[in-house]
Amino acid sequence: MAGPRLRSIGPNAPGSFLLVDCNDDFSNLDGAGRAVAALARQPRAPVYAALLLLILVSWAVLGVMAIELARVSAPDAAGPGAAVLGWLPQVDWPAGLAWFVQLCAQPVEAGAGRAGRFSALAAMWFLMSLAMMLPSAAPMMRTYCEIADTARAGAKAVVHPAVLLAGYLAVWLAAAVGFAGLTVIVSFSSPQAGLAPMRGVAGATALAIAGLYQFSGLKDACLTRCRDPFATLFARWSDQPTAIFRLGLAQGVWCLGCCWALMLVMFAVGIMNPFWMALLAVFALVEKQATGRKFQRVSGAILLVWSGALLVVSLKGGG
C-alpha cells in the first residue's frame, strides 16, 4: 500500500487535511467517488457550475414574475418594453410562485401583511441582485480559483471558493433588504406606483443620482478594486475560512459601491422590467471589464441627459 497521502493543515484546523499526492487517480473508489474526489481537488468546476445555476435560476424566476406582472398590471406599469411579455402564451405557473408575485405587487398597507410583503420584496431584490451582479462577479471567482489551484498544486491549504462566494452574496442580501425598504418608502409616498416606473421628479431624481455617482471618486475607487481583484485576493490570501469569508464581504462591498446607484435606475424604468435588468447586467459586466474612465463618464452623461429629459417632459405634462 502506498504511503500516507494526507497531512493535517495545522492545530488551528483539527480534522482538516490536504491531499499531498495531487496525481492520485483515486483508483480504489467507484466512478461516483472518483468524480467527487476530482471535484474536491479542483474546486473551480463546481463553483462555476453553482455560479451558473444561481444565475439561470434567478433569471428564470424573475422572467416568470415579469410575465405574470405584465398580465395583471396596466400596460405601462411594467415599464418600457415590458408590454411584449403580455403577448406570450398563457402558462399555469406553480401556485406558490403566483402567490409570491401577487405579494410583491400589492400595495404596502398597515397590518399583519406588511412583514410578509417586505420579506417578498427583499427576496425579489436579492434575486435581481443575483441575476444582475453575479455575471460581473465571475472574473473575481475565476481569479480566486486560479490562485487556489496554484496553492493546491503546491500542497497548501485552500479554502473552498464557495466560502468567498458566500461572503460576496451576504453583502447583496443586506443590500436587497435596503432596496426593499426603499421600495416600501416609494410605495407609501405613491401607493398607486407599486413596482411601476417612478415618474416625474422622483424618476428624474433617481436617474440624476445614478448619473452623478458615475463621476464620483468613490465610484472610481470601487471600480478600480472590481476591475483588478487579483491584487486584493492575493494580498489577503488565507487558509482560514473566516478570513476568506471576510474577503468575500470586502469584494461584495466594492461591487455594491460600484453598482448601488445603477440599481436606482430600476425605479425609473420599472423594478421588475426584465429588459432593463438584462441591460444593466450587461452594463455592469462591460464597465468592470473596460479600462479607463471613458465608458463610466459617457454612461453618467447619458443618465443625466435622460434625467433632464424626463423632468422636462413631466413638468410640461403636469406630472
Side-chain angles (χ1 to χ4, degrees):
M1 180 179 293
R5 295 180 292 108
L6 301 176
R7 68 176 176 83
S8 172
I9 63 175
N12 294 328
S16 299
F17 297 91
L18 281 177
L19 283 170
V20 174
D21 183 4
C22 293
N23 295 317
D24 195 296
D25 60 0
F26 305 103
S27 57
N28 294 322
L29 300 178
D30 59 13
R34 287 195 297 272
V36 172
L39 289 177
R41 189 173 62 183
Q42 300 290 339
R44 184 182 307 188
V47 170
Y48 284 175
L51 202 63
L52 180 60
L53 181 62
L54 281 173
I55 294 171
L56 292 178
V57 170
S58 299
W59 275 110
V61 175
L62 289 171
V64 171
M65 291 179 65
I67 292 172
E68 286 300 301
L69 285 173
R71 288 203 176 100
V72 302
S73 304
D76 61 343
V84 70
L85 296 175
W87 304 343
L88 297 178
Q90 183 74 34
V91 177
D92 292 328
W93 306 110
L97 186 57
W99 171 81
F100 179 65
V101 172
Q102 184 179 12
L103 194 61
C104 290
Q106 70 185 18
V108 179
E109 299 175 351
R114 185 189 298 181
R117 198 210 171 198
F118 181 83
S119 299
L121 286 173
M124 180 194 73
W125 273 105
F126 187 56
L127 283 171
M128 291 171 60
S129 299
L130 292 178
M132 296 167 64
M133 296 298 116
L134 277 183
S136 64
M140 174 196 72
M141 296 304 302
R142 182 183 66 244
T143 300
Y144 181 89
C145 287
E146 289 171 351
I147 299 174
D149 275 351
T150 301
R152 181 64 62 87
K156 295 181 180 179
V158 171
V159 178
H160 199 280
V163 178
L164 180 77
L165 182 61
Y168 178 86
L169 293 181
V171 173
W172 280 104
L173 179 59
V177 174
F179 283 120
L182 183 58
T183 305
V184 171
I185 293 173
V186 171
S187 297
F188 273 127
S189 62
S190 180
Q192 74 279 6
L195 302 180
M198 293 170 57
R199 306 191 185 281
V201 176
T205 300
L207 293 172
I209 292 174
L212 290 172
Y213 188 69
Q214 291 293 95
F215 296 90
S216 70
L218 181 58
K219 170 75 177 193
D220 289 340
C222 293
L223 188 56
T224 298
R225 294 296 188 106
C226 288
R227 284 176 173 174
D228 183 22
F230 177 83
T232 301
L233 294 176
F234 187 78
R236 298 178 58 180
W237 182 263
S238 173
D239 60 2
Q240 299 300 314
T242 53
I244 296 302
F245 183 81
R246 289 195 298 268
L247 183 56
L249 289 175
Q251 290 296 125
V253 169
W254 291 121
C255 183
L256 179 61
C258 275
C259 302
W260 71 267
L262 290 177
M263 300 293 274
L264 295 181
V265 175
M266 295 304 301
F267 285 94
V269 298
I271 294 176
M272 279 301 302
N273 189 313
F275 302 107
W276 281 95
M277 274 190 270
L279 181 61
L280 290 178
V282 172
F283 177 90
L285 180 61
V286 172
E287 184 179 53
K288 291 179 182 180
Q289 298 301 309
T291 57
R293 299 179 178 178
K294 185 176 181 179
F295 184 84
Q296 179 184 344
R297 300 299 192 254
V298 170
S299 61
I302 292 174
L303 288 170
L304 290 176
V305 171
W306 184 6
S307 171
L310 181 60
L311 182 61
V312 169
V313 170
S314 63
L315 291 177
K316 284 186 176 181

